[in-house]
């Protein structure tokens, strides 16, 4: 089961859309040797939100990707099956978010010991309504009969599956970003966002 499924935020259509475009982007970059989808200097604001012990980052610029033929193939694949198209439309209506049109970038950061620690942070930027994202997570969980654990940390609301204490957590940093992260890194991302932890300790200062 994928990260987003476990977290209850997404529909099947959203999963397919987001994960397929990431896979296609990586393939295109590797085959052509021309880095059109990935920033040569990862966005400083993304790096300023993740810990200094970040060892690897991955960024997809979806605004640039929309001009590529690969993106059109993704849309065609979504619309090919009526069921997938309906799932996607239902998700957009329920969550107030159209991933293929509203998302601008997806940024992933992991530490060197990610396999052991299971730490990571995924930052999603674009046009969205903060309350809509959180309400979407709640309604999706309710439809499946799952319970969510909700708490506040440094004035940021965090939701996660009550059945997975070490599973992924979701938070919305106002209009700055949607965050899906491990419990340990979620608090650090929020600390960087709120200024509780100095930017000097973030990955932005990595040499």
């Amino acid at each position: 089961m994928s990260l987003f499924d476990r977290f209850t935020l997404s529909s099947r259509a959203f999963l397919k859309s987001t994960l397929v475009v990431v896979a296609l982007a990586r393939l295109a970059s590797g085959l052509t040797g021309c880095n059109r989808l990935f920033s040569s200097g990862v966005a400083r604001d993304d790096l300023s939100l993740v810990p200094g012990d970040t060892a690897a980052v991955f960024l997809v610029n979806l605004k640039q990707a929309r001009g590529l033929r690969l993106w059109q193939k993704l849309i065609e694949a979504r619309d090919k099956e009526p069921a997938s198209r309906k799932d996607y439309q239902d998700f957009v209506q329920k969550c107030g978010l159209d991933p293929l049109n509203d998302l601008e970038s997806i940024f992933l950061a992991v530490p060197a010991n990610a396999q052991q620690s299971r730490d990571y942070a995924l930052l999603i930027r674009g046009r969205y309504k903060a309350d809509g994202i959180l309400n979407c997570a709640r309604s999706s969980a309710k439809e499946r009969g799952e319970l969510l654990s909700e708490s506040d940390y440094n004035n940021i609301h965090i939701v996660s599956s009550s059945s997975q204490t070490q599973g992924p957590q979701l938070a919305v940093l106002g209009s700055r970003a949607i965050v899906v992260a491990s419990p340990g890194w979620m608090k650090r991302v929020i600390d960087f966002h709120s200024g509780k932890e100095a930017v000097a300790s973030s990955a932005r200062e990595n040499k």
Side-chain angles (χ1 to χ4, degrees):
M1 185 176 291
S2 73
L3 165 65
F4 289 104
D5 264 339
R6 287 181 301 170
F7 191 61
T8 75
L9 171 63
S10 61
S11 70
R12 183 173 53 190
F14 177 59
L15 270 172
K16 288 180 179 179
S17 300
T18 303
L19 299 182
V20 169
V21 76
V22 170
L24 289 176
R26 293 189 66 177
L27 177 62
S29 178
L31 291 178
T32 65
C34 178
N35 200 346
R36 294 184 61 188
L37 299 180
F38 305 95
S39 171
S40 57
V42 176
R44 288 173 60 81
D45 192 49
D46 288 321
L47 290 172
S48 71
L49 288 172
V50 296
D53 57 335
T54 293
V57 296
F58 176 70
L59 173 69
V60 180
N61 186 326
L62 299 179
K63 294 177 70 174
Q64 293 181 19
R66 289 187 179 96
L68 300 181
R69 175 57 184 161
L70 285 172
W71 190 268
Q72 296 305 313
K73 288 185 177 180
L74 176 60
I75 294 176
E76 292 168 3
R78 177 201 65 184
D79 295 340
K80 187 175 182 179
E81 297 180 9
S84 294
R85 185 172 184 175
K86 184 180 185 303
D87 281 347
Y88 189 90
Q89 293 173 339
D90 289 346
F91 173 84
V92 172
Q93 183 175 9
K94 179 173 63 176
C95 301
L97 175 70
D98 183 344
L100 289 176
N101 292 305
D102 294 341
L103 298 186
E104 297 177 355
S105 67
I106 299 173
F107 173 88
L108 174 67
V110 296
N113 67 338
Q115 289 189 334
Q116 292 75 36
S117 69
R118 316 302 292 180
D119 282 327
Y120 65 91
L122 183 70
L123 309 181
I124 304 170
R125 297 181 185 269
R127 301 186 303 272
Y128 59 84
K129 294 181 179 179
D131 289 343
I133 298 299
L134 296 175
N135 288 335
C136 180
R138 295 184 185 107
S139 63
S140 296
K142 184 176 181 179
E143 289 174 1
R144 286 191 291 273
E146 298 178 6
L147 296 177
L148 290 183
S149 174
E150 303 195 31
S151 61
D152 289 301
Y153 179 75
N154 278 356
N155 297 316
I156 298 295
H157 201 66
I158 301 173
V159 297
S160 61
S161 171
S162 60
S163 63
Q164 298 182 35
T165 58
Q166 295 303 311
Q169 298 183 334
L170 171 75
V172 182
L173 308 181
S175 60
R176 194 176 187 182
I178 300 168
V179 183
V180 179
S182 59
W185 271 33
M186 176 61 81
K187 288 186 174 181
R188 296 201 65 188
V189 169
I190 294 174
D191 285 344
F192 286 124
H193 170 69
S194 66
K196 182 178 179 180
E197 189 165 354
V199 175
S201 300
S202 73
R204 196 181 80 176
E205 304 304 315
N206 285 355
K207 303 299 182 181

